[in-house]
Amino acid sequence: FERSGLAIPRSTLAQWVGACGVQLQPLVDALRTVLLDCKVLHADETPVAMLAPGKGKTHRAYVWTYGSSEHDSLKAVIYEFVESRSGSHARAFLEGWKGTLVCDDFSGYKALFAQGVTEAGCLAHARRKFHELWANHQSTIGERALRFFIQLYEIEREVRELDALQRKRIRQQRARPVADALHLWLTEQRKKVPEGSATIKAIDYSLGRWQALTRYIDDGELPADNN
């Protein structure tokens, strides 16, 4: 509009955007119905700055993302803009769904697991904490942990195009020993590191949700992370 020389009031543009949203809502609703037929879904929430009407400043809102798995024939994502990070938004979107949700450790998802949804952790979130230790503090623990994650991800690259049964078999044969070794090593390092440190937080993140983080090894339908 600016290039054409047309002066369109912001209020008019807002009305047009709102009208488009109303017209597209049936399509979003239909896509949500199809998405909730999936056995495995991803979820994440990203902060965005929202301009408060009439106040001239912004506050934090969120775009919640729900998507199908990379191993699903359906390739679909729904973005939902809301003004808070309350877990009630995820519960409303996933109401009645009982599949496996791949997500980080955000507390807003916890009520879903109490209602029958199965939790699958995101390996990338666990890895990221050790990468930050290595990149920011040259941590030897961070570096050593990354070597374990490299092995796990090398296996994932090899099995990505296989079917679920083959993927599960290879993961159990090759990824399970690596994961077990990582768990044992983290448990031992946990005893040596001072409380309250960044290293402890990285270790506790993984140990505290180990079952969720390694659930993918025994289920070929699950991805290893949210990436």
Side-chain angles (χ1 to χ4, degrees), residues 160-218:
R160 179 167 291 127
E161 303 302 325
L162 302 180
D163 63 42
L165 289 178
Q166 291 176 306
R167 193 179 299 118
K168 175 182 176 179
R169 177 177 55 80
I170 294 174
R171 283 173 172 174
Q172 289 179 329
Q173 290 176 349
R174 296 175 53 195
R176 174 60 67 188
V178 176
D180 289 346
L182 173 58
H183 186 271
L184 178 61
W185 180 78
L186 288 175
T187 302
E188 290 301 314
Q189 298 308 308
R190 178 70 175 76
K191 302 173 184 177
K192 306 174 184 178
V193 180
E195 295 291 338
S197 65
T199 303
I200 277 289
K201 292 178 182 178
I203 292 175
D204 283 352
Y205 182 91
S206 289
L207 292 181
R209 60 198 317 259
W210 190 255
Q211 183 179 13
L213 284 173
T214 57
R215 180 162 276 128
Y216 79 97
I217 294 176
D218 296 315

Side-chain angles (χ1 to χ4, degrees), residues 74-94:
L74 174 71
K75 306 303 178 186
V77 180
I78 292 180
Y79 299 96
E80 183 179 35
F81 176 84
V82 294
E83 294 191 41
S84 79
R85 202 186 183 194
S86 169
S88 61
H89 301 299
R91 293 194 296 275
F93 186 93
L94 298 172

Side-chain angles (χ1 to χ4, degrees), residues 7 27 124 153 168:
L27 178 60
Y153 272 107
K168 175 182 176 179

Side-chain angles (χ1 to χ4, degrees), residues 69-121:
S69 165
E70 63 180 282
H71 302 312
D72 199 308
S73 59
L74 174 71
K75 306 303 178 186
V77 180
I78 292 180
Y79 299 96
E80 183 179 35
F81 176 84
V82 294
E83 294 191 41
S84 79
R85 202 186 183 194
S86 169
S88 61
H89 301 299
R91 293 194 296 275
F93 186 93
L94 298 172
E95 184 178 6
W97 183 72
K98 301 296 183 183
T100 300
L101 187 67
V102 186
C103 59
D104 61 18
D105 198 32
F106 172 49
S107 61
Y109 299 116
K110 302 305 181 186
L112 288 167
F113 308 140
Q115 296 172 4
V117 172
T118 300
E119 178 184 16

